Amino acid sequence: TLYDSLRRTAHELFREGERDSAGRRVHIPERGAVLSLGVWVLRDGTDTGYRPLEGGPLELAGVVSLAMPNLNRSVRDSPVAVRDEGYPELLEAKWR
């Protein structure tokens, strides 16, 4: 599942001592992404109350997960990332 893939990645990064540029532990590499293959989608989104998908489960070939720095001060549930320099390079590195 997607959850298992992300959990395994977080465990590997923790074991390897991976940290972001501010020295914090990460669950997804700061300058990368996580590719999860063979992901099943079982439910619809929040707008439908997560009802089961019409037509049954849907298998996706893969899902790419990446963590993006929050620069929007209006977002209330995520701290604003303090990045004076290197932001464009960070974004570029994620898509290589």
Side-chain angles (χ1 to χ4, degrees), residues 28-87:
I28 295 176
E30 183 176 43
R31 299 183 70 79
V34 178
L35 174 62
S36 304
L37 300 174
V39 173
W40 286 90
V41 178
L42 307 175
R43 298 191 172 275
D44 210 339
T46 57
D47 58 329
T48 66
Y50 299 107
R51 72 173 179 228
L53 278 180
E54 291 182 24
L58 172 66
E59 184 179 14
L60 302 177
V63 170
V64 176
S65 302
L66 47 110
M68 298 298 293
N70 174 33
L71 299 180
N72 184 348
R73 296 189 187 285
S74 298
V75 175
R76 296 180 184 188
D77 65 348
S78 179
V80 173
V82 179
R83 298 191 78 84
D84 292 332
E85 50 188 284
Y87 185 72

